[in-house]
């Protein structure tokens, strides 16, 4: 089955974690477009988490799934309280109750214990060496999707362009897909009793329009295109320059969402001088997230930055600066306003 899944081309994304500002524009663009239906209140198909952090769902990276040496690994379902979100608030009391400053917005029902962005901007480390960065997470549309192989109904399939989709008519809500997914980016719709996940905006892609999360990014931090398009930025960042890396490659699913790892200032020594040997974000931590290739990726980024500082030219820096936003996702650069959706 794995060889059959690998056929065709592969659409992919690259997020530059040095440019992501955690504004959640991608999250809201996706939410407004795709997850406003019944049972989707808590669903955020893309969510920007603060790292280091416990993520969404809480401690997702300790829930199992994926493969080890090609062998499927057992996983578990996140509990509802580990997701959080989808709360109802006391809007009527605050806005129309006439209580003035005595009333404030609060979730109705049991006190929440977790939710999307629960630990936003907390990070790690102590002053003056505290640090954090933002990590957008979504379905990775993996080359070897564990969710697909786990589904007994054959409800999941991988298109010729690499997008992983679900036939909701075949889905029975068994959630074996979520157990198998090591990234836990599949959501159960408690109203419809089916599972749902990012569809990579395939109706937009089929019209030549980039996904909403890509096109709406105000920081020009996301690239989109085919992995085998040698003239495209995704190929150049992932294959040519090898500075864009998958999240947790040890999970064995070969994800197709890639990340340019964050650079960081030097640490301060106790006497206030700079420790020029150690960045503030520990390289060992980044290695746990992105694998051993992160060291070479960081070295390449620093080398190309130094080249430009010394008056040289760097194709890599030109790509990362993104002077023309349309170049970030050609040929999917059609304006949705000028596109017929009938």
């Amino acid at each position: 089955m794995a060889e059959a899944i690998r056929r065709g081309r592969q659409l992919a994304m690259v997020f530059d974690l040095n440019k992501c500002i955690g504004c959640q524009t991608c999250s809201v663009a996706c939410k407004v477009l795709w997850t406003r239906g019944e049972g989707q209140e808590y669903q955020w198909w893309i969510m920007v988490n603060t790292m280091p952090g416990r993520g969404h769902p809480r401690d997702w990276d300790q829930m199992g799934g994926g493969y080890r040496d090609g062998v499927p690994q057992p996983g578990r379902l996140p509990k509802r309280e580990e997701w959080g979100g989808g709360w109802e608030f006391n809007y009527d009391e605050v806005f129309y109750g006439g209580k003035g400053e005595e009333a404030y917005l609060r979730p109705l029902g049991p006190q929440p214990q977790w939710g999307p962005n629960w630990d936003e901007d907390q990070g790690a480390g102590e002053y003056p060496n505290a640090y954090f960065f933002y990590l957008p997470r979504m379905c990775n549309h993996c080359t070897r999707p564990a969710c697909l192989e786990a589904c007994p109904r054959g409800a999941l399939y991988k298109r010729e362009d690499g997008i992983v989709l679900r036939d909701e008519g075949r889905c029975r809500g068994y959630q074996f897909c979520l157990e198998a997914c090591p990234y836990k980016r599949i959501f159960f719709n408690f109203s419809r009793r089916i599972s749902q996940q990012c569809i990579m905006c395939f109706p937009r892609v089929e019209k030549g329009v980039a996904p909403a999360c890509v096109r709406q990014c105000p920081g020009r931090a996301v690239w989109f295109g085919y992995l085998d398009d040698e003239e495209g930025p995704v190929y150049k960042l992932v294959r040519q320059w090898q500075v864009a890396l998958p999240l947790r490659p040890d999970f064995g699913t070969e994800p197709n969402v890639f990340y340019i790892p964050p650079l960081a200032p030097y640490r301060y020594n106790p006497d206030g001088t700079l420790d020029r040997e150690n960045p503030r974000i520990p390289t060992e931590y980044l290695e746990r997230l992105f694998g051993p290739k992160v060291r070479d990726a960081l070295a390449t980024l620093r080398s190309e930055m130094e080249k430009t500082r010394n008056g040289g030219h760097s194709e890599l820096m030109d790509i990362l600066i993104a002077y023309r936003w349309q170049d970030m996702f050609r040929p999917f650069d059609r304006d949705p306003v000028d596109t017929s959706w009938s």
Side-chain angles (χ1 to χ4, degrees):
M1 178 180 288
E3 291 304 316
I5 293 172
R6 295 172 189 271
R7 295 174 186 166
R9 306 182 73 186
Q10 180 63 59
L11 285 167
M13 290 186 189
V14 174
F15 289 88
D16 187 349
L17 302 187
N18 296 289
K19 297 174 77 175
C20 178
I21 60 174
C23 66
Q24 304 290 350
T25 302
C26 57
S27 307
V28 174
C30 175
K31 183 69 175 176
V32 170
L33 192 59
W34 298 118
T35 60
R36 300 176 69 185
E38 184 180 8
Q40 294 183 309
E41 293 82 3
Y42 83 104
Q43 295 187 22
W44 293 86
W45 288 356
I46 181 169
M47 171 55 59
V48 184
N49 292 144
T50 297
M51 303 298 287
R54 300 177 71 179
H56 184 242
R58 183 177 60 210
D59 300 327
W60 61 270
D61 56 344
Q62 301 175 31
M63 294 183 182
Y67 303 95
R68 183 177 301 157
D69 298 325
V71 179
Q73 298 299 297
R76 74 166 179 87
L77 294 176
K79 298 176 183 177
R80 183 64 182 85
E81 56 268 24
E82 291 172 323
W83 285 108
W87 305 300
E88 292 289 335
F89 287 84
N90 59 328
Y91 294 114
D92 288 340
E93 178 187 20
V94 172
F95 297 127
Y96 310 112
K99 296 184 178 180
E101 295 181 357
E102 296 179 5
Y104 59 91
L105 279 176
R106 55 181 173 79
L108 300 175
Q111 185 66 26
Q113 299 300 314
W114 198 254
N117 275 346
W118 191 268
D119 52 1
E120 186 174 35
D121 291 355
Q122 291 185 19
E126 298 292 337
Y127 177 85
N129 292 314
Y131 64 92
F132 66 84
F133 60 93
Y134 299 112
L135 181 74
R137 292 209 314 117
M138 56 182 285
C139 171
N140 290 284
H141 298 272
C142 302
T143 298
R144 188 182 180 186
C147 58
L148 190 156
E149 296 192 33
C151 180
R153 292 281 302 169
L156 288 155
Y157 61 97
K158 193 168 178 69
R159 304 195 331 170
E160 287 297 313
D161 57 9
I163 297 176
V164 176
L165 293 180
R166 178 187 307 272
D167 182 345
E168 294 187 350
R170 294 193 59 83
C171 180
R172 293 295 181 269
Y174 298 147
Q175 300 189 72
F176 294 131
C177 54
L178 178 52
E179 287 183 358
C181 174
Y183 301 96
K184 303 302 180 232
R185 296 314 297 166
I186 297 173
F187 300 81
F188 186 67
N189 188 312
F190 292 91
S191 296
R192 298 180 58 197
R193 311 303 296 178
I194 60 172
S195 296
Q196 297 175 305
Q197 83 276 356
C198 162
I199 59 175
M200 202 177 266
C201 287
F202 76 88
R204 293 168 62 104
V205 170
E206 291 173 353
K207 294 285 189 177
V209 180
C213 61
V214 176
R215 191 176 175 96
Q216 295 300 108
C217 177
R220 300 189 183 185
V222 197
W223 291 262
F224 177 73
Y226 284 106
L227 266 176
D228 63 353
D229 178 6
E230 297 185 8
E231 299 302 316
V234 170
Y235 173 88
K236 292 180 179 180
L237 293 171
V238 176
R239 302 288 188 232
Q240 179 180 331
W241 289 99
Q242 299 183 30
V243 294
L245 306 170
L247 178 65
R248 294 302 301 265
D250 54 305
F251 286 158
T253 62
E254 301 178 37
N256 291 299
V257 174
F258 299 87
Y259 301 90
I260 296 171
L263 297 162
Y266 296 117
R267 292 176 56 84
Y268 283 105
N269 291 314
D271 63 359
T273 60
L274 289 177
D275 177 1
R276 297 184 181 275
E277 299 298 322
N278 297 296
R280 196 169 301 176
I281 302 176
T283 305
E284 294 77 14
Y285 176 70
L286 296 179
E287 195 168 26
R288 186 173 74 83
L289 290 178
F290 304 112
K293 293 182 180 180
V294 75
R295 294 179 181 271
D296 289 338
L298 292 170
T300 298
L301 290 169
R302 294 191 182 101
S303 174
E304 293 300 305
M305 291 172 64
E306 187 65 23
K307 181 191 297 184
T308 59
R309 290 193 185 102
N310 293 331
H313 175 259
S314 169
E315 179 194 22
L316 175 58
M317 290 298 105
D318 286 346
I319 296 172
L320 294 178
I321 291 170
Y323 293 101
R324 288 175 47 83
W325 61 266
Q326 295 92 339
D327 294 339
M328 301 180 71
F329 37 80
R330 292 191 190 277
F332 302 98
D333 58 347
R334 290 187 61 184
D335 192 330
V337 175
D338 300 329
T339 302
S340 173
W341 299 101
S342 59

